[in-house]
């Protein structure tokens, strides 16, 4: 028994050490993107009238928040809040009645708990299983910036529905197949399978607009709004990284990851078969 306990302790310590050495698969070096703040932004950005990374990230957040009419009367839940920049932004610019968050990366959660004492609750774990967390109340608004498309839409909606108030508003970003996908060759489809797999996205899980709307309706959502942000996000991010690389010749794994993401964004935008969209909806 003692030996088993000792073995478990060693394994736990090894896992902890490895987690410090090997970053989480969704971890992003924000400073390489252009944000040196401690509570950094790490999304693709909404590139309209700016070439400043932090401003583009704020614009993507604002575009989503304004679409659901986020205001000071709302109990807000931010899913996949990353390093915490969005949380600070909501508190300073929207002043919701309460603010809670869920994030997968332990390091981010620990940092947020230290630096943002105003946050009501923050949990470390997956937003695909929100029932596991003991929230103080259901939410008027649930937002997820630039993260849901790594997951099954049905799984996400199943999870979110459990914590949303009746008439609660949902806003998130996703990927959608364009109508032109009907004309894809087998080779083009195979290429997109590989492209998206590199970004931890499953091609078969990317819906058409019809499937997207049907899925939301079946999950009890109405007033569904879908906005194509491909130009402002995919093209904008790829052009920003290209311009930045001309001035910054940094190397390393973190930079390679960013370069590959920018190339993927450029490919998806140019091919036009996959669109980057913003979705808002209201729970019945």
């Amino acid at each position: 028994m003692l030996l088993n306990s000792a073995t478990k302790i060693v394994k736990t310590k090894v896992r902890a050490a490895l987690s410090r050495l090997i970053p989480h698969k969704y971890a992003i070096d924000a400073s390489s993107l252009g944000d040196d703040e401690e509570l950094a932004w790490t999304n693709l950005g909404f590139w309209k009238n700016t070439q400043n990374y932090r401003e583009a990230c704020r614009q993507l957040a604002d575009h989503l928040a304004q679409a659901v009419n986020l205001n000071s009367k709302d109990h807000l839940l931010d899913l996949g809040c990353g390093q915490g920049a969005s949380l600070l932004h909501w508190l300073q610019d929207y002043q919701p009645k309460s603010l809670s968050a869920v994030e997968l990366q332990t390091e981010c959660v620990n940092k947020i708990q230290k630096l943002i004492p105003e946050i009501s609750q923050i949990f470390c774990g997956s937003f695909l299983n929100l029932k596991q967390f003991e929230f103080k109340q259901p939410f008027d608004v649930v937002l997820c910036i630039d993260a849901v498309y790594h997951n099954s839409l049905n799984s996400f909606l199943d999870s979110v529905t459990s914590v949303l108030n009746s008439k609660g508003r949902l806003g998130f970003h996703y990927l959608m197949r364009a109508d032109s996908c009907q004309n894809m060759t087998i080779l083009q489809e195979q290429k997109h399978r590989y492209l998206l797999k590199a970004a931890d996205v499953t091609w078969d899980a990317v819906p058409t607009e019809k499937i997207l709307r049907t899925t939301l309706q079946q999950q009890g959502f109405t007033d569904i709004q879908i906005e194509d942000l491909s130009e402002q996000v995919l093209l904008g991010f790829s052009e920003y990284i290209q311009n930045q690389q001309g001035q910054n010749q940094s190397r390393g794994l973190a930079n390679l990851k960013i370069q590959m993401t920018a190339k993927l964004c450029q490919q998806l935008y140019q091919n036009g078969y996959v669109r980057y969209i913003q979705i808002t909806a209201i729970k019945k």
Side-chain angles (χ1 to χ4, degrees):
M1 291 293 288
L2 282 174
L3 185 59
N4 286 344
S5 299
T7 304
K8 283 179 185 175
I9 290 168
V10 169
K11 282 182 178 177
T12 302
K13 286 184 175 178
V14 168
R15 276 197 296 267
L18 283 173
S19 70
R20 286 192 292 272
L21 291 169
I22 304 167
H24 191 278
K25 68 176 177 177
Y26 295 140
I28 298 165
D29 180 9
S31 61
S32 294
L33 283 166
D35 191 348
D36 293 316
E37 296 292 321
E38 196 155 16
L39 295 168
W41 289 98
T42 51
N43 65 56
L44 292 175
F46 185 93
W47 299 89
K48 187 174 180 182
N49 303 324
T50 186
Q51 273 300 300
N52 178 283
Y53 180 70
R54 280 182 64 81
E55 189 179 345
C57 289
R58 275 195 303 271
Q59 286 182 173
L60 188 64
D62 283 333
H63 199 76
L64 189 60
Q66 287 159 14
V68 298
N69 187 30
L70 178 62
N71 61 74
S72 59
K73 296 175 186 174
D74 291 324
H75 291 289
L76 169 63
L77 175 62
D78 185 332
L79 301 176
C81 63
Q83 295 181 39
S86 60
L87 302 178
L88 203 57
H89 185 55
W90 307 139
L91 289 167
Q92 291 174 346
D93 287 46
Y94 294 86
Q95 300 169 348
K97 188 177 281 186
S98 75
L99 173 59
S100 301
V102 173
E103 170 55 41
L104 263 178
Q105 301 172 75
T106 311
E107 298 83 1
C108 293
V109 172
N110 293 339
K111 186 197 293 185
I112 289 162
Q113 285 173 328
K114 273 190 228 166
L115 298 178
I116 314 181
E118 303 92 336
I119 193 165
S120 307
Q121 293 177 287
I122 182 165
F123 294 103
C124 186
S126 169
F127 55 59
L128 297 183
N129 185 16
L130 294 175
K131 290 176 185 174
Q132 69 182 303
F133 307 123
E134 293 183 10
F135 294 112
K136 292 174 183 174
Q137 76 287 304
F139 296 95
D140 305 303
V141 176
V142 174
L143 296 178
C144 186
I145 303 170
D146 192 36
V148 181
Y149 48 78
H150 295 295
N151 305 281
S152 148
L153 183 60
N154 256 322
S155 299
F156 174 71
L157 295 175
D158 273 340
S159 180
V160 166
T161 305
S162 67
V163 299
L164 257 179
N165 266 329
S166 175
K167 304 296 180 190
R169 291 108 68 204
L170 171 65
F172 63 102
H173 301 104
Y174 212 66
L175 298 176
M176 182 179 80
R177 297 191 194 201
D179 293 339
S180 56
C181 280
Q182 295 170 5
N183 305 319
M184 285 178 96
T185 65
I186 293 172
L187 194 63
Q188 286 169 328
E189 183 178 318
Q190 196 61 40
K191 180 184 176 184
H192 280 72
R193 279 184 188 279
Y194 289 129
L195 278 173
L196 291 175
K197 190 177 180 182
D200 198 30
V201 177
T202 307
W203 167 254
D204 291 330
V206 179
T208 61
E209 182 173 349
K210 185 180 178 183
I211 290 173
L212 191 58
R213 288 186 182 277
T214 302
T215 304
L216 282 154
Q217 286 162 358
Q218 287 172 344
Q219 290 274 8
F221 287 93
T222 184
D223 293 343
I224 300 158
Q225 303 294 323
I226 298 172
E227 185 181 359
D228 188 340
L229 306 184
S230 302
E231 184 175 349
Q232 298 92 334
V233 176
L234 298 180
L235 180 63
F237 180 76
S238 66
E239 288 183 341
Y240 166 70
I241 296 300
Q242 280 178 356
N243 293 338
Q244 191 192 43
Q245 288 308 300
Q247 305 156 23
N248 176 15
Q249 297 302 317
S250 64
R251 293 288 182 268
L253 261 178
N255 192 57
L256 179 63
K257 188 175 181 180
I258 291 165
Q259 284 289 306
M260 295 302 289
T261 302
K263 282 176 181 170
L264 171 65
C265 289
Q266 184 183 34
Q267 284 275 299
L268 291 179
Y269 180 75
Q270 284 178 346
N271 295 343
Y273 293 119
V274 176
R275 314 306 292 167
Y276 185 101
I277 55 171
Q278 175 179 284
I279 301 170
T280 58
I282 296 174
K283 183 181 171 183
K284 284 181 185 172

